[in-house]
Amino acid sequence: MNQLVALTEAERDALAELEKRERHHRRGAVIQRANEPGNDLFILRAGMMMSYVLLDNGSRQILRFHFPGDMVGMPGILYSEAPETLCVLSDCVICPFDRSALAELIEIHPRLAALILVVSQIERVALTDRLAMLGRVSAKSRVGALLLELRDRMRATDKSVTDSFTLGLTQEEIGDATGLTSVHVNRMLRQLEEEGLIERDNGRVTIRNDAALARAANYVNRYEGLDLGWLPDAR
Amino acid sequence: MNQLVALTEAERDALAELEKRERHHRRGAVIQRANEPGNDLFILRAGMMMSYVLLDNGSRQILRFHFPGDMVGMPGILYSEAPETLCVLSDCVICPFDRSALAELIEIHPRLAALILVVSQIERVALTDRLAMLGRVSAKSRVGALLLELRDRMRATDKSVTDSFTLGLTQEEIGDATGLTSVHVNRMLRQLEEEGLIERDNGRVTIRNDAALARAANYVNRYEGLDLGWLPDAR
DNA sequence: CGCCAGATTGAGGTCAGTCAACTACAGTGG
DNA sequence: CCACTGTAGTTGACTGACCTCAATCTGGCG
C-alpha cells in the first residue's frame, strides 16, 4: 500500500505491527482450507500463493494469484467457514494476524482503512476482468492475458522483471486459472509461440508482442491509472 | 448494512445523509459509462441495475446485478476512467453522492468503514463463485445457479418472494451474465423445465427443485453464514 | 538406472455457437 | 380498427472450439 500513497510514520508502524510474526512455507502447503474456519489474515511477504475452489464435479477453479505485499485471507474472516482454499505456489514467507487486529487498524487509521478498501476494489476489478475473459474470450487470448497479468504483477514487486520471467506454474495450473484443460493450454502456448507473440524456454516465458496480446484479450493493468486524491487525511 | 448489524442512531444518520438526493431512471438508462470518468457513488434505493463490460470482439459480459440497498459504482471512483458500465434494468431510484462523502464516512464511523469492507468482500466471494461457474460448470447449471442467485437477492429485500419471481431479464441478458448465447439459454431453460426443476410462465419463474439446482451448480447464498463478531465498536 | 511428474502430440467426441427461419406480442401511426 | 414495426422468444441444421482419452517424450532425482 506504500506504493499507492506516501504513508506517515504512524501508518507505517501500524502496518509493521501486522507483520510482527512470520512463518515460512514450502510449495504445496495449504494455509487455509475451504469449508473450515479461517479467522486469520496474512500478509504475504515473499513468494507466490493462490486461492482456489474445488467443485463437486471434481474440477478446480483458481480464483487469484497472490504476490508479495498482498493481504490474503480476507474472504475467510467474514464467514464461519472459509469460502476458498489458500495454497503456496513457491516457497514463501507469510505474516499471520488476527482479524481483531484489522478491526483495530480500521478504527485508528481511517486512511489505511480506505486504502484496504481501495486494494479490495482493485482486486474486484481484476476479478471482473477475469470473469469477462472466462465468459467471452477465446482460449488463446485467455492464456495470453494470464501471462501478461503474471508479468505485470511480478514486475510490481521485482523491478528486474521486464518481459521475461519464470512462470512457476504447471500447465494444469494455468488451465485451472483460465477454465481450460492442461492439454489445451499446451496447444495454446504452442500457437502463441508459433505466432511470435511469446517465447518459451524451460518454464521461462518471454513476452514478444505485448500490445498484440493485450489487444486480443482486452487486458488492462489494474494497478495503473488510479486516482486516489479523495482519500481521507492520514492520522 | 442494517441487515448485517444493528446500527446506532449516529450511524443510521450518517448513512441517511448519503441518501439525501435522489434520482429516478427508466429501464435502459446508463448511469455510468466504461472508460469515462465516474467520480460518483450511488445507493440503489429501488429497482434493479447491472454492471457490464463490452469487449473488443463485440460481446458483452454482465458482471453483477444490483438490488435495493446496494452501494454501486465503487470500482469507478478508484480510476480516472470507470472500468465498467452501470445500467438500469427496471425503473429505479438511486441516490448519488460524492466520493469525498465516502472518505468522510470512513473517517468518522470506523464500524461503517468495516461494514463497507465486509460488503465489498461478500461481493468478491459472489464474483469468485461466478468465476468458478464460468470456468468449470455446464451451461445448464450456470443458468440454474443464476436463477437461484436472483431469487435469493430479491428475497433479501422483498420477503414476499418465495420460490416464484419475475425475472425482469431477457434471455440475451441471462446469456451475457452466464457466458452463453441467448439461443442456448433458451434451450437450457427448456431443459430445466422439462426436468421439473423450474416452471415458467411469461417471464415469471418458479423454482421447483431448489436443492437439485444448488447442488448441480455449487450454489451458496453468500449473504448467509456470516460471522461479524470481530467488527470494531460503533462510534 | 528406474521412477515420476509434467509436457507434448494425435484421434475422435461433444457441448455450445452460428445461422436462419418462424412465432408471439406490444407499440405506433394511419 | 388494422397494417406495420420491432423486440423477444423458439426451434432446427450445421459447425467448430475445446474436451477426453491415450500414447509418448522429457528432465529431475533418489
Side-chain angles (χ1 to χ4, degrees), chain B residues 90-111:
Chain B
S90 69
D91 300 3
C92 72
V93 182
I94 63 177
C95 305
F97 59 93
D98 193 88
R99 56 192 183 177
S100 63
L102 176 69
E104 200 179 312
L105 189 78
I106 291 172
E107 200 158 9
I108 300 177
H109 292 285
R111 194 171 70 153

Side-chain angles (χ1 to χ4, degrees), chain B residues 18-128:
Chain B
L18 299 180
E19 300 190 40
K20 222 170 20 180
R21 288 184 295 152
E22 73 175 39
R23 279 161 37 186
H24 295 247
H25 290 281
R26 293 294 180 81
R27 172 171 168 97
V30 173
I31 304 303
Q32 180 180 97
R33 210 174 291 274
N35 303 316
E36 293 180 5
N39 294 340
D40 272 358
L41 284 155
F42 307 90
I43 305 278
L44 177 55
R45 185 179 282 166
M48 187 174 168
M49 297 176 64
M50 65 174 170
S51 40
Y52 64 81
V53 290
L54 296 174
L55 306 188
D56 284 347
N57 61 26
S59 57
R60 174 175 71 170
Q61 177 67 49
I62 295 178
L63 304 171
R64 178 113 179 121
F65 296 105
H66 305 286
F67 291 87
D70 286 2
M71 187 183 288
V72 303
M74 261 235 253
I77 66 168
L78 305 188
Y79 295 97
S80 41
E81 299 182 349
E84 60 195 48
T85 301
L86 271 172
C87 173
V88 172
L89 279 168
S90 69
D91 300 3
C92 72
V93 182
I94 63 177
C95 305
F97 59 93
D98 193 88
R99 56 192 183 177
S100 63
L102 176 69
E104 200 179 312
L105 189 78
I106 291 172
E107 200 158 9
I108 300 177
H109 292 285
R111 194 171 70 153
L112 290 181
L115 273 174
I116 291 171
L117 184 62
V118 163
V119 169
S120 88
Q121 288 296 315
I122 294 174
E123 211 175 9
R124 178 216 148 109
V125 175
L127 283 171
T128 57

